[in-house]
Amino acid sequence: MEVSEKIAVEHGLKKEEYKKICDLLKRVPNLTELGLFSAMWNEHCSYKSSKKYLKNLNTKGKRVIQGPGENAGVVDIDDEDAIVFKIESHNHPSFIEPYQGAATGVGGIMRDVFTMGARPIANLNSIHFGSPQHKKTKNLLRGVVKGIGGYGNCIGVPTIGGQTLFDESYNGNILVNAMTLGLVNKKKIFYSKAAGLNKPVIYVGSKTGRDGIHGASMASAIFDEKIEEKKPTVQVGDPFTEKLLLEACLELMADNSIIAIQDMGAAGLTSSSVEMASKGKLGVELNLNKVPCREEKMTPYEIMLSESQERMLIILESGKEEKAKKIFEKWNLDFAIIGKTTSSKNIEIYFNNKKVADIPIDFLSENAPLYERKWKKTKLPQKLKFKKEKFKSLKVSDCLKKVLSNPNICDKEWIWEQYDHTVMGDTVQKPGGDSGVVRIHGTQKAIAACIDSSASYCFSHPITGGKQVVCEAWRNLISVGARPIAITNCLNFGNPEKEKNMGEFVECVTGISEASKYLDFPIVSGNVSFYNETKDKGIKPTPTIGGVGLIKNYKNMISMDFKKQDNIVFVIGKTEGHLDQSIFAKDILGEKKGPPPEVNLFNEKNIGETMLKLINENLIESAHDVSLGGIIVAISKMCIKGNMGIKFKKFKSLVNKFEYFFGEDQGRYIVEIEPSKIDKVNEILKNNSVHFDNLGVIEENNLSFNGELNLPIEELAKTHKYWLKGYMEN
């Protein structure tokens, strides 16, 4: 096929990008070369709209071993141990083919982690769907959950946490963000930088097929009515092969034979070979006749762009080929020497004894276009003034039951019970709490992990929303007694060519960066997913934050379930009664406007550090951060988890009871304290200038308040748990 501007545009390239390619090469590229450019210059691989702003993120910290730029981030957790972790999106594939899209998203992020020498120890996910009333939502949810569970369960890695949210902005573009943590000896971390001349380039894993071709380009495209035609771009996963690949790679790594290693993820053999060579400032020569293929008559174009799963590319020490081959054959995996490193600084591709591509590596990587997109600021909305008449006919009990059954607050057990969260035997806090927790096998240490997003807050005011989602991760880790270490992000946005969408991205990143710096909570890895848009309708800005924290002794871990009758319940942090953008305002008052709650970073840090002091001194029995739904929802969840009730005190407050109970002010925690420890807790809180309110006393069976609220915990639990199960079963 003769390459033309029209063909280039069909490959997702802009006309001016095609001209740049021709100018760089000083000739028209052939079809295979054009395919390489389309893969490496798409948004998913080149970050051409986002790179400028990502450079401003806070990526350094005393525990950071490896920040962004590798397959995953790495942080020190003391002794000889380190945690490798990252979050990735698989949004477009999951919308097209929910089971395989979600499954291969899990498989891909696990490969990113074990590529660095780490054994995966935990998975998490953040999944977003359209309105529950939308005709596609239920089937998409069912397929995605089955895909996540099907892959993670089969490979034997526990899924310890997650988040599921619904909003009509995801009707045409669901989000599937997958996160994996792995454990590695910090002296045995592997990287993707090629080194040395004439070193063998090794292909290992599954055979190459025609599945997933143009997957990376599709991930950088807007959907239209021809979405069904994109199904062939979705990869097909095999978790059993991935398990074999994991064990084989870890076995070879123990032999110190590997110079560099890279997962064949987005853009397959193209991106893995180009990125490794680029980092090492080397060239690479590939013979595609050596690549193991499962389909006949595959062309160089197809081989280079295939995104078939469970494959790795390795730069091996010379002389180690035979030993490596025996390891992979033992695990019943393909092993092939497909090329070598060179001094040319080009990627040279041969097929049937002919050179079919010859491109300077820098043209594909360093010379990829970088755009300075125009963007528009989002004004802070005016605060709403709720008239007293709005509250007159309302009952706290009715409002609570409605809010507890909201799709974004209701119990998600129907989802996480389909995931194996106990495999490997180290899960010490399962899904459903603030953070999942796994112990480091053979030690007293444990790692807490959480995953959070806040699209409504980000849509209302992106800078504030960006700060909030970082702080939410901070609080979720602290609530289980973990010292927050670092975060990973997955930045999900609409079309960056639109000024409003680009503005949302820039300002969310600004907010994330400010919070990360202030809290000393560095960002060590991440992913950007643009073009989440269908028929000119984009998603709400949805930055997802994955947080990781360290518990030095897992026996000191805190959970959210109330423990004992007659214990005292405090809310730590000040309540102002902020209802704008709250679940209460939307569900009860029918109001979707207004600003998100203010984020005070000084208070977040001060209160968080104070909470850790209280936990470390064994002064708290249970804890839960206050987020969606406010104080009364947080307490209701603690009641349900512990099968205990609470008798609220009549509080003195400048706000009315609905604002007090349902307001979503930030920087707050609910804690349970034994009466004998109250004085000590009071002392610490006052010494640290932390505001707190005594909310009441734990009792056996009811949630009660001032004679106007008296709900049995059994009834609350039924209300909280019914919606999702009923929705999926009807």
Side-chain angles (χ1 to χ4, degrees):
M1 181 188 291
E2 190 172 333
V3 171
S4 64
E5 185 181 89
K6 181 178 179 229
I7 299 295
V9 171
E10 289 173 356
H11 277 69
L13 292 161
K14 307 288 185 187
K15 291 179 181 179
E16 58 271 22
E17 291 175 345
Y18 175 65
K19 184 179 183 302
K20 182 177 179 178
I21 291 167
C22 294
D23 290 344
L24 284 169
L25 293 174
K26 297 185 171 63
R27 59 180 173 83
V28 174
N30 62 40
L31 186 62
T32 300
E33 292 171 328
L34 184 71
L36 267 63
F37 276 105
S38 77
M40 295 304 298
W41 282 20
N42 68 62
E43 195 75 58
H44 192 76
C45 292
S46 71
Y47 293 86
K48 57 190 177 185
S49 299
S50 59
K51 189 177 283 187
K52 173 184 173 181
Y53 302 99
L54 298 177
K55 288 178 180 178
N56 297 325
L57 290 173
N58 171 43
T59 61
K60 299 188 185 300
K62 61 183 180 182
R63 288 186 176 271
V64 176
I65 296 173
Q66 174 65 53
E70 267 294 338
N71 287 293
V74 189
V75 293
D76 190 335
I77 61 164
D78 299 331
D79 308 311
E80 297 299 312
D81 299 324
I83 292 293
V84 178
F85 69 107
K86 190 183 180 184
I87 186 171
E88 276 271 9
S89 63
H90 230 222
N91 304 334
H92 287 57
S94 299
F95 186 68
I96 298 167
E97 180 51 63
Y99 183 93
Q100 288 295 349
T104 52
V106 173
I109 192 62
M110 279 200 282
R111 287 196 301 280
D112 281 341
V113 167
F114 74 73
T115 297
M116 299 194 70
R119 179 172 292 279
I121 59 171
N123 289 330
L124 299 93
N125 58 78
S126 175
I127 51 181
H128 294 66
F129 299 91
S131 165
Q133 288 74 45
H134 192 271
K135 61 183 181 181
K136 288 187 176 182
T137 296
K138 192 180 293 186
N139 285 334
L140 286 167
L141 174 59
R142 184 175 284 113
V144 166
V145 170
K146 283 186 176 179
I148 292 170
Y151 206 101
N153 295 354
C154 289
I155 202 170
V157 177
T159 299
I160 64 167
Q163 174 194 48
T164 304
L165 296 175
F166 299 86
D167 187 274
E168 63 184 8
S169 76
Y170 308 110
N171 283 350
N173 287 85
I174 66 172
L175 303 182
V176 176
N177 296 173
M179 177 178 171
T180 293
L181 288 74
L183 178 67
V184 69
N185 184 306
K186 59 190 177 189
K187 294 179 180 178
K188 297 180 179 179
I189 300 167
F190 289 81
Y191 299 95
S192 58
K193 179 181 176 181
L197 295 178
N198 296 312
K199 301 297 183 182
V201 177
I202 311 296
Y203 173 116
V204 298
S206 292
K207 288 180 169 58
T208 295
R210 291 188 171 93
D211 55 314
I213 293 173
H214 290 303
S217 300
M218 177 270 293
S220 303
I222 297 168
F223 285 158
D224 54 28
E225 62 278 353
K226 296 181 180 179
I227 186 175
E228 290 297 315
E229 296 176 10
K230 299 183 186 288
K231 279 193 175 183
T233 64
V234 179
Q235 310 90 335
V236 178
D238 180 355
F240 300 104
T241 300
E242 176 125 334
K243 174 64 173 172
L244 300 178
L245 183 61
L246 161 66
E247 298 300 340
C249 286
L250 293 180
E251 185 175 340
L252 182 61
M253 288 167 171
D255 187 52
N256 295 319
S257 302
I258 295 174
I259 296 171
I261 181 167
Q262 179 78 34
D263 161 42
M264 289 192 224
L269 184 53
T270 296
S271 64
S272 56
S273 55
V274 169
E275 288 174 10
M276 292 170 86
S278 177
K279 288 176 181 176
K281 301 191 181 303
L282 295 171
V284 62
E285 182 182 297
L286 301 176
N287 181 352
L288 300 190
N289 292 100
K290 302 287 188 179
V291 174
C293 295
R294 65 169 182 263
E295 298 182 51
E296 294 182 357
K297 297 181 179 179
M298 288 190 68
T299 65
Y301 177 95
E302 291 171 325
I303 294 169
M304 290 302 297
L305 296 183
S306 168
E307 293 184 11
S308 294
Q309 298 291 283
E310 293 83 42
R311 301 180 301 158
M312 293 281 190
L313 200 65
I314 297 172
I315 310 295
L316 203 63
E317 288 285 3
S318 301
K320 299 283 188 174
E321 296 93 332
E322 198 58 37
K323 189 171 184 178
K325 183 181 180 182
K326 286 179 180 177
I327 290 172
F328 284 92
E329 286 181 344
K330 181 184 77 173
W331 290 99
N332 200 29
L333 295 165
D334 279 289
F335 176 99
I337 303 170
I338 66 168
K340 63 182 180 181
T341 58
T342 69
S343 61
S344 71
K345 296 187 179 180
N346 284 20
I347 180 168
E348 300 169 81
I349 301 171
Y350 293 84
F351 187 71
N352 292 341
N353 297 315
K354 293 181 181 177
K355 185 182 283 189
V356 294
D358 190 354
I359 306 171
I361 294 286
D362 282 352
F363 289 5
L364 294 166
S365 54
E366 299 300 317
N367 287 102
L370 293 177
Y371 292 114
E372 188 139 351
R373 306 279 191 196
K374 292 182 179 178
W375 60 276
K376 188 183 292 183
K377 287 186 177 181
T378 301
K379 291 182 180 177
L380 181 68
Q382 283 193 330
K383 200 168 187 313
L384 300 175
K385 294 181 181 178
F386 297 101
K387 295 180 180 178
K388 290 181 180 179
E389 292 76 36
K390 281 225 174 198
F391 302 99
K392 277 186 177 179
S393 62
L394 300 177
K395 292 182 179 179
V396 175
S397 57
D398 294 340
C399 296
L400 175 58
K401 286 191 280 188
K402 188 169 183 179
V403 171
L404 274 178
S405 61
N406 178 283
N408 291 332
I409 287 183
C410 73
D411 188 277
K412 302 301 192 303
E413 188 176 3
W414 182 89
I415 293 172
W416 57 258
E417 71 181 0
Q418 297 184 55
Y419 307 148
D420 191 338
H421 49 268
T422 60
V423 65
M424 299 178 77
D426 287 318
T427 304
V428 291
Q429 191 157 164
K430 64 184 185 181
D434 289 292
S435 297
V437 183
V438 289
R439 65 178 178 174
I440 303 302
H441 200 77
T443 77
Q444 297 293 307
K445 295 183 296 189
I447 293 296
C450 62
I451 194 164
D452 299 284
S453 68
S454 184
S456 291
Y457 291 173
C458 291
F459 182 70
S460 173
H461 193 241
I463 291 179
T464 303
K467 291 179 187 176
Q468 188 278 332
V469 71
V470 173
C471 293
E472 175 72 9
W474 168 266
R475 291 195 301 272
N476 280 335
L477 294 170
I478 287 171
S479 294
V480 299
R483 161 66 63 182
I485 294 177
I487 57 180
T488 180
N489 62 43
C490 191
L491 306 175
N492 308 277
F493 291 82
N495 183 354
E497 297 167 47
K498 294 180 177 180
E499 292 182 23
K500 184 178 184 299
N501 292 346
M502 192 65 202
E504 290 170 342
F505 172 81
V506 172
E507 293 188 312
C508 275
V509 169
T510 299
I512 289 168
S513 185
E514 285 181 20
S516 167
K517 286 176 183 174
Y518 196 92
L519 299 174
D520 192 19
F521 203 19
I523 300 154
V524 299
S525 58
N527 165 242
V528 178
S529 175
F530 277 133
Y531 296 99
N532 292 287
E533 191 161 309
T534 297
K535 297 180 181 178
D536 210 38
K537 290 185 179 179
I539 65 166
K540 287 179 178 176
T542 313
T544 301
I545 297 293
V548 171
L550 174 65
I551 303 173
K552 291 194 174 183
N553 188 334
Y554 70 88
K555 293 178 181 178
N556 296 330
M557 176 187 72
I558 297 290
S559 60
M560 64 185 284
D561 51 303
F562 280 152
K563 303 297 190 300
K564 189 179 177 184
Q565 190 175 347
D566 296 327
N567 280 352
I568 311 300
V569 179
F570 278 15
V571 56
I572 295 177
K574 195 167 184 180
T575 299
E576 302 281 359
H578 187 100
L579 286 182
D580 297 43
Q581 293 299 323
S582 69
I583 298 290
F584 180 89
K586 295 169 186 173
D587 273 17
I588 309 299
L589 304 180
E591 184 55 75
K592 297 181 180 180
K593 297 179 180 178
E598 180 187 350
V599 176
N600 185 314
L601 294 175
F602 174 84
N603 285 345
E604 287 282 3
K605 189 169 188 176
N606 183 44
I607 295 171
E609 295 290 349
T610 305
M611 278 288 297
L612 286 174
K613 182 176 176 63
L614 293 172
I615 293 169
N616 291 334
E617 293 190 18
N618 196 30
L619 297 172
I620 292 176
E621 303 305 309
S622 65
H624 182 34
D625 86 304
V626 181
S627 55
L628 293 181
I631 283 175
I632 199 164
V633 167
I635 282 180
S636 295
K637 290 181 178 180
M638 297 173 82
C639 288
I640 293 166
K641 287 281 185 183
N643 197 27
M644 307 285 289
I646 181 173
K647 185 176 182 180
F648 280 103
K649 293 176 67 174
K650 189 174 180 180
F651 50 81
K652 295 177 182 178
S653 176
L654 298 175
V655 296
N656 71 40
K657 60 192 175 190
F658 294 99
E659 292 171 323
Y660 191 86
F661 279 143
F662 295 99
E664 295 181 7
D665 308 278
Q666 299 296 288
R668 296 180 297 163
Y669 303 79
I670 306 294
V671 298
E672 174 190 355
I673 309 158
E674 289 184 353
S676 63
K677 298 176 181 178
I678 287 291
D679 289 345
K680 182 64 177 174
V681 171
N682 283 339
E683 181 187 339
I684 291 172
L685 293 172
K686 288 175 181 176
N687 287 343
N688 287 277
S689 302
V690 172
H691 184 93
F692 64 96
D693 293 332
N694 185 332
L695 294 177
V697 180
I698 295 174
E699 59 180 23
E700 280 193 344
N701 299 313
N702 296 318
L703 188 151
S704 61
F705 171 67
N706 198 33
E708 60 184 281
L709 175 63
N710 193 22
L711 286 171
I713 300 307
E714 188 178 344
E715 185 178 343
L716 277 182
K718 187 177 179 182
T719 301
H720 187 48
K721 292 179 179 183
Y722 173 74
W723 184 85
L724 183 58
K725 191 175 181 181
Y727 174 72
M728 296 307 299
E729 291 179 354
N730 291 332

